[in-house]
Amino acid sequence: MPCHRRPRPSLWRGCAMLLAGCLLGAAAQAGPTLDAVRTRGQLVCGVNTGLLGFSAPDAQGRWQGFDVDICRAVAAAVLGSADKVQYVGLSAPQRFTALQSGEVDLLSRNTTVTLARDASMGLQMTAIAFYDGQGFMVPAKSKIRSALQLKDKTVCVQQGSTTIRSLTEFARVHKLGIRQVVFDRLEDANATYFAGKCDAYTSDASQLAALRVKFAPDPADHVILPEVIAKEPLGPLVRRGDDEWVSIVRWVLYGLIEAEELGVTATSIEALKRSTDPSVLRIVGTGEDTGKLLGLDREWLARAIRATGNYGEIFERNLGPKTPVGLPRGINNLWNKGGLQYALPVR
Ligand SMILES: N[C@@H](CCC(=O)N[C@@H](CS)C(=O)NCC(=O)O)C(=O)O
């Protein structure tokens, strides 16, 4: 019987409970990954073996970078400390097996989300951390200033990524007859290109920017061409079939983005605990308890923000104009500042 036709008291109760559930959500149960992470007391995070700005160990062996900060934020939310992370460096071809087999709990490794990866590999996307695009880099002295000038040129490329296929399709569509020089290992692709043995190098544009800083005596000797030949939305992936874990990773990322939108930073968070804005209070952990909906406590997001800063702070510290990689915020700016970063609302 529909609720509005004078239902019996027990039905009223049922409807009221359903309504309360709709409005508030019910407390979540922990899924198998969260259970395993808690029992182990450590999050095992798959990252790139060494990609400047995204994930690389520093001189003391401490992992640093944008993707590493996502691991740290999740660990802070789930385990109470951003340091409770074990990092597993994974090459492009190794990364999906490591996640599928359970070797890592989370893959936070400059990985593009595509339909095939999301739908057919036993993996699931969470949210987009970085909007990237595939591009080309050429030596500045080469005079090539457009990807359309790559006719019959050699292009260095690594396998195990989305890159080869998009290169092949781009070359075919524009009838460029590009000659691919394919490598299993990134080190070999780098060595060959920076020794001047390929006319161009193709990869995610952020990666090209990082590589020229690391390997070129003068980064200005290499130019990234203006064309973006494929969308490369990068984000953390988890195993399919653990809905609770998907939600946790997704909402940590959204929470960091929303924190930026609301002006909550690693340093302003303490003062904002006395804010009068309910949206801010939810984020800083003194308002409505969103943690219980994820199987976490009230302070889950506050801990993540204290550990890593909000999304904007993470971006600026690891990739922004003041870092060696020197990327502009561009399309990774917030939606209300001309970019694409739009967190679903944390409420
Ligand atoms: N975002 C692209 C490319 C990411 C990627 O794995 N890039 C390669 C270079 S093209 C890389 O990081 N290689 C490092 C390695 O294999 O250790 C993807 O997800 O397929």
Side-chain angles (χ1 to χ4, degrees):
M1 184 196 286
C3 289
H4 57 272
R5 280 197 214 148
R6 290 169 48 207
R8 286 170 306 194
S10 59
L11 278 182
W12 270 116
R13 240 191 335 268
C15 285
M17 281 170 67
L18 195 65
L19 185 66
C22 290
L23 291 176
L24 300 172
Q29 302 203 318
T33 311
L34 178 58
D35 276 344
V37 168
R38 279 184 170 147
T39 307
R40 202 189 299 124
Q42 217 174 26
L43 172 73
V44 184
C45 218
V47 292
N48 196 301
T49 49
L51 175 57
L52 190 66
F54 282 89
S55 76
D58 67 11
Q60 283 75 43
R62 284 182 310 237
W63 287 84
Q64 309 275 356
F66 180 89
D67 284 344
V68 166
D69 277 342
I70 293 173
C71 304
R72 288 174 54 76
V74 172
V78 164
L79 293 171
S81 165
D83 295 330
K84 292 186 175 171
V85 184
Q86 185 198 327
Y87 296 96
V88 179
L90 298 168
S91 71
Q94 288 169 336
R95 60 187 151 169
F96 299 120
T97 333
L99 184 57
Q100 286 156 343
S101 68
E103 185 189 344
V104 300
D105 302 308
L106 171 63
L107 184 68
S108 180
R109 187 210 172 280
N110 61 306
T111 293
T112 306
V113 179
T114 63
L115 188 154
R117 286 176 177 178
D118 185 47
S120 71
M121 298 181 74
L123 307 177
Q124 193 164 347
M125 66 158 293
T126 55
I128 300 307
F130 185 97
Y131 291 93
D132 211 333
Q134 183 177 338
F136 294 95
M137 178 162 70
V138 295
K141 64 174 187 318
S142 79
K143 308 277 185 299
I144 295 172
R145 290 297 173 267
S146 159
L148 298 173
Q149 294 172 292
L150 290 172
K151 193 158 175 37
D152 300 325
K153 302 285 187 213
T154 52
V155 176
C156 277
V157 60
Q158 190 198 4
Q159 13 203 4
S161 69
T162 48
T163 318
I164 292 190
R165 178 168 168 173
S166 300
L167 174 64
T168 307
E169 291 179 0
F170 175 77
R172 192 177 302 141
V173 168
H174 296 280
K175 301 189 174 53
L176 292 176
I178 284 175
R179 285 177 288 141
Q180 298 182 2
V181 187
V182 179
F183 298 89
D184 282 339
R185 293 172 355 118
L186 187 68
E187 295 84 332
D188 300 330
N190 294 339
T192 308
Y193 171 76
F194 286 103
K197 294 183 187 153
C198 282
D199 297 311
Y201 193 156
T202 186
S203 183
D204 295 350
S206 67
Q207 223 164 336
L208 297 174
L211 291 176
R212 74 176 164 181
V213 171
K214 194 166 167 190
F215 293 104
D218 182 357
D221 288 344
H222 297 270
V223 176
I224 296 171
L225 302 178
E227 289 87 358
V228 171
I229 67 163
K231 291 182 287 186
E232 303 289 333
L234 313 179
L237 292 171
V238 294
R239 269 183 301 286
R240 193 163 272 272
D242 186 343
D243 296 344
E244 287 78 15
W245 188 240
V246 175
S247 294
I248 289 172
V249 176
R250 173 177 295 155
W251 287 100
V252 167
L253 196 43
Y254 283 151
L256 296 172
I257 297 169
E258 188 147 297
E260 179 182 9
E261 205 176 313
L262 295 169
V264 181
T265 66
T267 43
S268 73
I269 188 166
E270 292 313 318
L272 288 171
K273 287 189 165 178
R274 293 178 300 279
S275 165
T276 50
D277 181 343
S279 310
V280 170
L281 294 180
R282 272 190 290 273
I283 299 259
V284 303
T286 44
E288 176 193 336
D289 181 0
T290 51
K292 69 169 186 259
L293 310 177
L294 295 167
L296 304 175
D297 65 323
R298 187 186 284 269
E299 286 266 309
W300 65 285
L301 184 51
R303 276 195 304 274
I305 297 166
R306 266 189 237 112
T308 61
N310 64 36
Y311 178 85
E313 293 177 280
I314 295 174
F315 189 100
E316 295 304 330
R317 185 173 57 244
N318 295 301
L319 300 169
K322 292 190 189 135
T323 68
V325 188
L327 298 178
R329 263 309 273 278
I331 56 172
N332 286 294
N333 217 329
L334 296 179
W335 65 284
N336 52 6
K337 292 189 177 156
L340 295 176
Q341 283 297 355
Y342 180 102
L344 304 192
V346 179
R347 62 169 188 255

